[in-house]
Amino acid sequence: MSDMMSRESKKDRLRSRIITTNASPGHGEDSEEIVSQARRRVRRRYLIILLAILILITIGAILLYWYQRSWQYKEGTVGWERQFERDEAGFVDYEAFGENLLRYSKDGASYIDASGKDIWVEAYQMRTPITAVNGDYAAIADQQGNSIYIFDKNGLLGIATTVLPVIKITISSKGLVAAILEGQTTSHIYYYTKEGTEMKVYLTGFLNGEIGYPLDISLSPDGNLLMGSFTYLRGGEVRNRVAFYNFSEVGKNVPDRFVGGFHEMYGNSMIPRVCFLDSIHSVAFADSSISFYSSLDVMSPVLLKQVPVEDEIRTVFYNSQYAGVVVRDVSGEYDSRLDLYSSEGNHIFSQPFSFDYEHVDIDGDYIFLYNESSCRIYNRFGNLKYEGTFDFPVSKLTCGRLPNQVIAAGPQAVKEIKLH
């Protein structure tokens, strides 16, 4: 009997061991599952936090967008200012140049930084200075004179002396200068390097045997393409056209380097202003239309869109992204209308207004309408951002270093105005 009990006891102990041994993997699987669940909970927690951050960033971006779009500044205070001596306050004008301002007069030019200090000063004597600016290069010419001064942000690069009187100039973003020079019977277009050396390529005023007169010219950023507006006689009638010329190596393969001409859509409508907006897009402002061109194929520019303008065009303006006009609006309670288009000719907004402006400039996303004593500033959505007055005569408005800063410049002073 005791032997049987002993054997049963041994069997129980063996069963116990077998059950314990077999149960061990189950406990391991439970532990791994617990760890896996914990990890999933941590990942979900991190994912929820990340989604919350993304939602907050999105909400913040939307609020900032609507703030920048719709918020209107109520007042402006002076940050810094620079006063000029009385004998410096004769004929003075300004151009946005690089990130700062080019100040020029009949006696010389200076480059003013974002705190109002001179980076460089250059003296000259001109009767009627005219300017052209593109990126980090600028040119100042004596209209009806024979000199062109070429600058970069570090100062004078060269002086071009012309054989004929200068009528208009344009400059590429690499410093190449083209100038319309007035001859006795026709006008010519000459080229100059940034050091002022005359190049061997130029255009006469003849268009396919017809005597033409260039009204305006513009160089592409790389200087390879020239866009010009010409008026000419055909069959005793005055006609107008936009023409493109290619002065790169591939342009040698076509007669007179002529790669594109557009005249059917203009007829007797004059084209006083043409300009390259960027390396591909360009625009021609006629007295009854705005034409947008593409030079994606440098050997065959194409017309993207022509926008008819029924009302009288008072002023045109443009930068690398936009082109616009101010027209006389007699259809309603306002006397003017501001129309803005993309570089491809897509309409962005039309904003009627009544304001006795003298100048229109566009810098970044801001459009400035101003006279010497007051201004209005619109954004690219057509919303009024600020209107105010000046306590000194102003001839140039441009953006400052921050979105709420404006640089106001005139013959007597330059001031940074902080908008609140």
Side-chain angles (χ1 to χ4, degrees):
M1 187 65 140
S2 61
D3 290 339
M4 291 180 62
M5 292 179 62
S6 177
R7 284 198 297 270
E8 289 298 324
S9 176
K10 289 179 180 179
K11 288 179 181 180
D12 290 339
R13 287 198 297 270
L14 181 59
R15 289 192 192 98
S16 176
R17 288 173 185 167
I18 292 172
I19 292 172
T20 303
T21 305
N22 290 339
S24 296
H27 288 309
E29 290 175 2
D30 291 343
S31 300
E32 291 177 2
E33 180 63 25
I34 292 171
V35 172
S36 178
Q37 289 177 357
R39 288 175 178 171
R40 285 196 294 269
R41 285 195 295 270
V42 171
R43 282 197 297 267
R44 281 198 299 268
R45 189 177 299 115
Y46 281 129
L47 182 59
I48 292 171
I49 293 173
L50 179 61
L51 288 175
I53 292 173
L54 291 176
I55 291 172
L56 290 175
I57 291 175
T58 302
I59 294 173
I62 293 173
L63 292 175
L64 179 62
Y65 169 82
W66 284 105
Y67 171 81
Q68 292 178 337
R69 175 170 178 163
S70 305
W71 176 260
Q72 183 173 336
Y73 298 107
K74 302 301 182 183
E75 62 179 13
T77 58
V78 175
W80 57 259
E81 64 179 285
R82 176 182 173 183
Q83 300 289 334
F84 294 100
E85 299 294 334
R86 187 176 299 275
D87 58 359
E88 295 182 272
F91 167 79
V92 175
D93 211 343
Y94 294 84
E95 288 288 346
F97 178 31
E99 298 82 24
N100 300 302
L101 275 180
L102 176 69
R103 185 178 194 264
Y104 66 99
S105 68
K106 296 181 179 181
D107 301 318
S110 60
Y111 187 40
I112 301 174
D113 68 13
S115 60
K117 298 178 181 178
D118 289 330
I119 298 175
W120 52 258
V121 178
E122 183 66 35
Y124 56 69
Q125 291 294 321
M126 296 185 184
R127 290 176 297 179
T128 309
I130 56 175
T131 60
V133 176
N134 196 333
D136 294 339
Y137 288 92
I140 303 177
D142 191 8
Q143 193 173 47
Q144 293 294 338
N146 300 96
S147 61
I148 304 173
Y149 284 66
I150 304 166
F151 304 90
D152 68 4
K153 295 192 297 183
N154 297 315
L156 181 67
L157 294 173
I159 304 173
T161 301
T162 65
V163 296
L164 297 168
V166 177
I167 303 300
K168 283 192 175 183
I169 58 171
T170 182
I171 191 169
S172 76
S173 63
K174 294 185 177 181
L176 180 69
V177 174
I180 300 177
L181 306 183
E182 188 175 40
Q184 292 183 348
T185 58
T186 187
S187 296
H188 308 272
I189 299 173
Y190 278 72
Y191 280 75
Y192 302 90
T193 67
K194 61 185 178 182
E195 293 79 19
T197 304
E198 180 184 320
M199 300 175 68
K200 296 299 182 183
V201 291
Y202 69 95
L203 299 172
T204 66
F206 292 91
L207 295 170
N208 298 328
E210 300 158 329
I211 298 178
Y213 184 83
L215 298 179
D216 196 25
I217 55 174
S218 179
L219 283 172
S220 62
D222 60 11
N224 288 333
L225 287 177
L226 180 135
M227 179 188 191
S229 66
F230 297 84
T231 183
Y232 62 99
L233 287 174
R234 174 178 288 179
E237 294 184 357
V238 176
R239 301 291 184 90
N240 297 274
R241 73 160 59 173
V242 169
F244 291 86
Y245 298 85
N246 189 312
F247 287 95
S248 67
E249 286 298 314
V250 296
K252 293 180 179 179
N253 301 322
V254 294
D256 299 324
R257 298 181 177 268
F258 177 78
V259 293
F262 304 85
H263 57 85
E264 295 88 355
M265 71 285 292
Y266 293 113
N268 60 0
S269 179
M270 298 189 71
I271 314 158
R273 182 71 61 83
V274 296
C275 60
F276 273 94
L277 304 180
D278 56 33
S279 59
I280 295 174
H281 301 98
S282 54
V283 62
F285 296 96
D287 52 23
S288 59
S289 65
I290 311 171
S291 302
F292 296 86
Y293 294 92
S294 169
S295 301
L296 186 62
D297 181 352
V298 295
M299 296 302 291
S300 182
V302 297
L303 175 68
L304 295 176
K305 184 178 292 187
Q306 185 177 44
V307 180
V309 181
E310 297 180 358
D311 300 304
E312 177 190 350
I313 297 178
R314 301 178 61 186
T315 314
V316 305
F317 59 93
Y318 53 88
N319 66 2
S320 61
Q321 296 176 287
Y322 307 106
V325 293
V326 176
V327 300
R328 192 178 302 278
D329 187 2
V330 295
S331 60
E333 59 179 303
Y334 301 97
D335 58 17
S336 300
R337 189 181 71 247
L338 181 65
D339 296 335
L340 188 68
Y341 300 87
S342 72
S343 60
E344 295 181 342
N346 299 318
H347 180 259
I348 297 176
F349 74 80
S350 292
Q351 176 63 50
F353 68 92
S354 292
F355 177 63
D356 188 18
Y357 74 94
E358 296 175 4
H359 310 281
V360 180
D361 287 320
I362 181 169
D363 187 8
D365 290 337
Y366 281 172
I367 302 166
F368 301 94
L369 283 78
Y370 58 101
N371 53 45
E372 69 172 17
S373 60
S374 59
C375 74
R376 284 191 175 188
I377 302 175
Y378 292 87
N379 63 13
R380 63 186 177 90
F381 304 103
N383 295 323
L384 182 65
K385 295 294 290 182
Y386 175 75
E387 59 180 333
T389 59
F390 309 115
D391 59 0
F392 69 107
V394 169
S395 58
K396 183 68 176 181
L397 278 183
T398 187
C399 289
R401 290 170 292 183
L402 298 176
N404 70 323
Q405 293 177 348
V406 173
I407 304 299
Q412 301 173 3
V414 177
K415 297 183 181 183
E416 176 192 74
I417 300 175
K418 297 181 178 180
L419 305 179
H420 306 282

